[in-house]
Amino acid sequence: MMGGRIWLESEPDVGTTVYFTARLNKQQEEPEAADSTTPLSVAAVDQAVARLRGAKVLLVEDNEINQELVLELLLSKGIEVETANDGRRALDLLEQERFDGVLMDCQMPVMDGYETTRHLRAQEKFKDLPILAMTANAMKGDREKVLSAGMNDHIAKPIKPDVMFSRMEKWIRPRAERVT
Ligand code: MN
């Protein structure tokens, strides 16, 4: 329909690369500004970080470099972190431990972020668990897609620490501070 081609190259035990070509029209309207260009004041970010201190977060990310980067950022601000490399592992960890929120990559092997979120939202005990997607290309459709899968919000990759902390602070609180 878009005058392109789609194909994939697959190797057993290694993985699959999907390629496609498409002819697209240039975007007419302004791209979404929220993630990348809105400046955040230092005070606002400091406050967000202070509010997150002591929270326990599950970081679900298959890319080692991204995982390391986000892990370091979170630990440096006194946020407790556990990591999972795919959605299946995340579901296991969430069964075993209580978390104050989840940072969820979308493209992952075994079980992706969308499916993982749908599994969680189908369970009463995880209905209110804050889940924030992390995806590359903060295009308009991406945000809708993560929201419709049941995630609360969206953080664009490459991760900008200030944006990440202020997004997290909108949804995640350390358990001790929560009204029960
Ligand atoms: Mn990924």
Side-chain angles (χ1 to χ4, degrees):
M1 282 171 74
M2 301 178 83
R5 267 197 333 131
I6 183 163
W7 71 101
L8 48 86
E9 287 169 10
S10 203
E11 206 179 319
D13 300 322
V14 175
T16 301
T17 309
V18 178
Y19 301 87
F20 74 90
T21 62
R23 213 166 268 283
L24 307 169
N25 292 320
K26 281 188 181 151
Q27 190 169 6
Q28 295 301 312
E29 45 197 318
E30 288 293 300
E32 225 178 350
D35 259 11
S36 45
T37 54
T38 311
L40 294 159
S41 78
V42 174
V45 174
D46 284 352
Q47 191 181 44
V49 166
R51 281 185 178 152
L52 286 164
R53 197 177 306 275
K56 184 175 170 183
V57 170
L58 178 59
L59 169 61
V60 193
E61 167 69 79
D62 66 309
N63 181 286
E64 238 176 88
I65 293 165
N66 285 341
Q67 191 187 93
E68 187 85 350
L69 176 88
V70 177
L71 178 69
E72 287 302 319
L73 280 170
L74 297 174
L75 291 176
S76 75
K77 302 300 183 190
I79 297 165
E80 213 184 311
V81 194
E82 296 245 7
T83 57
N85 295 319
D86 62 67
R88 174 51 61 194
R89 175 78 184 132
L91 293 179
D92 289 345
L93 283 170
L94 284 158
E95 277 306 319
Q96 293 159 20
E97 297 171 48
R98 294 191 61 170
F99 289 91
D100 299 312
V102 179
L103 293 179
M104 185 78 83
D105 181 28
C106 290
Q107 266 69 52
M108 289 183 291
V110 187
M111 187 186 287
D112 69 20
Y114 304 107
E115 194 185 343
T116 310
T117 302
R118 285 190 285 266
H119 275 275
L120 291 170
R121 292 303 189 223
Q123 298 175 64
E124 187 61 39
K125 61 182 170 180
F126 295 128
K127 276 209 155 62
D128 298 321
L129 177 70
I131 306 174
L132 281 71
M134 301 181 296
T135 61
N137 308 320
M139 299 303 283
K140 267 209 162 96
D142 279 12
R143 200 181 149 74
E144 272 87 74
K145 199 174 166 195
V146 304
L147 296 182
S148 72
M151 293 184 240
N152 299 83
D153 209 338
H154 176 274
I155 300 165
K157 285 180 187 172
I159 299 287
K160 294 188 172 71
D162 288 0
V163 174
M164 180 182 75
F165 289 126
S166 64
R167 276 300 148 87
M168 287 176 69
E169 190 265 334
K170 266 176 71 186
W171 301 97
I172 299 172
R173 283 289 180 285
R175 182 179 323 282
E177 281 178 31
R178 271 200 247 137
V179 184
T180 47

